[in-house]
Amino acid sequence: MARPHNRLVMPAHPVHIAVIGSTNIDFVAHVSHFPQPGETLHVHDSTTGLGGKGANQAIAVARLGQAVELAGWTGRDMLAEMARTALREAGVGARWLLSDGDNGTGRAFITINQTGENQILVDGGANMAHGDAACPLLRPVLARAAMVMMQMEMDPALMVALARQAREMNIPVMLDPAPVPAAGLPDALYALADIITPNENETRELTGILPTDQATALRAADILHARGTGTAIIKLGPRGVVYSTLHPRDGEDARGFIPAFHVRAIDTVAAGDCFNAGLATALARGLPLAGAVRTPWRGLRGAGHHAGGSRAGRAGCGRGGGPAGARGSVIARTTVLRAGPQAV
C-alpha cells in the first residue's frame, strides 16, 4: 500500500489515542549505589505499583487530558487486579486489556541509585505470550483512533500485524522501539511506523550510530528514513531532541533540534514514556511536528503527581529534561520537574 503524502494528518473524527503495549507491576528499590556482584545492600525506600511501557504511556496521555484506550494482556492474579485498579483510577480505558489465564501479569524489578539512574529486569509474563495470531483480539482498539502508540515489550510479530492493520485504516503509528529485540527490530516495522522515537542507546542498536550531537543524530535519522520510516525523533537525554521528517507541512522545517529544559532530575524512570505521551497528544490535537516535539517539555511538569497509595517511584524526565528513555511507572509521588529559566 502506497504511503500517503503526510500520514501525520489525523483521521477524521477520532475519539482516542490507542496504546498497544505492556502492563506490569513494578517493584522499585532506591539504593545509594548499584550493587557489585556478591554485594548485599539495604534499600532506602521501596515501592510497588503500576508499570510497563504501555501502561505508563497510557496514564501519561490520560493525565494530559486526552482520551486513551490501552490494549494488551494481564494475567488473572492479584497483580492484575492492582494494575486494573490503577488504570481505572487514572482514567485509562481498558476494554481491550485482556486477561490471560495461562500466564502471569508482567513484573519489573527496578533499582534506582541516588543520582536517579536505574537498572531494570523485566519478566514479561502475559505481555510476551501472544503472537500475530492474536491480532484480531486487539484490533478493535484501533476503531476511531487518532494515533496508535506501540512499544516493544510485546511479541514483535504481533506489533507488525497490528501496525499493518493501522496502516490499512490510515491511522498513524508511533513506535517506541524499546527495548530493541535481541534479533533487532523487524524490517517491516520501519516502514509501518510513521514515527519512531529511539533514545541514544536504542539509536545505536538500530543504526550503529551513537548520536552525541545534532549531526550524528541526523545521520542516524537518514538511516531510519532509508528503511522506510517517515519521521524520526531521536532523544538525546540532557541535550534535547532532534527531529527529521520526510513529510513536512507547508512552511514547516523538515529537520530541527529542540534543546532540553534545565531541570533538577529526581529520577529517570518513565522519562521516555512521558515524552512520547506528550508528543502523541500534541500531534493528535493537530500541532505541527516541531510544535509537537516542544510540547512534552512543557507538559511533563504536570504528567506526574501524587497518586495516593498506588505509587511506584517517581516519573522522571531524564538528566536535564527528559527523554532519557528509561521505562517504569508514572504513578508518581510528586511533580517531577523543577524547571529552570530556560524555555523552549
Side-chain angles (χ1 to χ4, degrees):
M1 182 175 180
R3 176 180 292 275
H5 174 66
N6 188 350
R7 282 181 46 84
L8 299 189
V9 175
M10 296 300 114
H13 310 299
V15 172
H16 64 274
I17 290 175
V19 179
I20 301 173
S22 58
T23 298
N24 293 333
I25 293 298
D26 287 352
F27 300 87
V28 184
H30 293 263
V31 297
S32 60
H33 62 277
F34 295 131
Q36 298 297 314
E39 181 181 10
T40 300
L41 292 178
H42 288 289
V43 304
H44 298 158
D45 187 25
S46 62
T47 53
T48 302
L50 185 65
K53 293 188 70 66
N56 288 347
Q57 293 181 14
I59 287 181
V61 169
R63 287 184 173 173
L64 293 171
Q66 174 66 46
V68 60
E69 292 281 344
L70 175 63
W73 283 270
T74 66
R76 292 177 183 165
D77 48 31
M78 289 190 300
L79 297 183
E81 292 304 313
M82 182 186 299
R84 290 173 183 275
T85 296
L87 289 165
R88 182 173 61 252
E89 292 176 349
V92 174
R95 286 181 298 167
W96 307 111
L97 183 61
L98 308 180
S99 296
D100 181 340
D102 297 322
N103 297 278
T105 299
R107 295 176 292 171
F109 305 90
I110 303 171
T111 305
I112 302 172
N113 70 13
Q114 62 185 358
T115 66
E117 296 175 313
N118 61 71
Q119 293 180 344
I120 303 169
L121 298 172
V122 179
D123 174 5
N127 296 307
M128 293 297 296
H130 303 272
D132 55 352
C135 178
L137 298 177
L138 301 189
R139 187 182 186 277
V141 78
L142 300 177
R144 301 187 71 186
M147 175 173 284
V148 182
M149 301 176 69
M150 296 182 174
Q151 317 83 35
M152 297 306 297
E153 288 187 336
M154 297 175 74
D155 188 293
L158 177 60
M159 295 295 96
V160 170
L162 287 163
R164 187 168 286 121
Q165 291 291 312
R167 169 59 56 85
E168 293 176 359
M169 298 168 70
N170 203 34
I171 301 170
V173 173
M174 177 185 292
L175 176 65
D176 179 347
V180 177
L185 202 66
D187 291 342
L189 266 182
Y190 289 103
L192 291 169
D194 299 284
I195 308 168
I196 191 167
T197 63
N199 67 12
E200 298 148 298
N201 290 331
E202 293 148 10
T203 298
R204 178 173 56 185
E205 291 184 68
L206 295 175
T207 69
I209 296 172
L210 177 64
T212 57
D213 53 24
Q214 184 174 355
T216 50
L218 288 174
R219 281 172 46 208
D222 286 338
I223 293 173
L224 297 173
H225 290 323
R227 294 175 183 171
T229 302
T231 298
I233 297 174
I234 296 178
K235 298 174 283 192
L236 300 178
R239 290 178 291 277
V241 175
V242 168
Y243 67 90
S244 176
T245 182
L246 300 179
H247 308 299
R249 295 187 186 181
D250 292 342
E252 181 182 47
D253 291 334
R255 297 184 145 192
F257 170 70
I258 309 296
F261 276 115
H262 295 306
V263 302
R264 178 175 66 84
I266 293 177
D267 69 53
T268 60
V269 176
D273 297 329
C274 291
F275 178 87
N276 277 34
L279 177 64
T281 299
L283 289 171
R285 293 174 179 174
L287 269 68
L289 181 63
V293 173
R294 286 182 174 91
T295 295
W297 304 107
R298 300 185 180 99
L300 280 173
R301 280 188 289 173
H305 61 274
H306 183 73
S310 179
R311 302 181 296 189
R314 299 173 176 87
C317 290
R319 296 191 207 93
R327 60 152 312 282
S329 178
V330 293
I331 304 298
R333 292 182 180 178
T334 69
T335 300
V336 296
L337 291 182
R338 304 291 186 267
Q342 177 182 348
V344 178

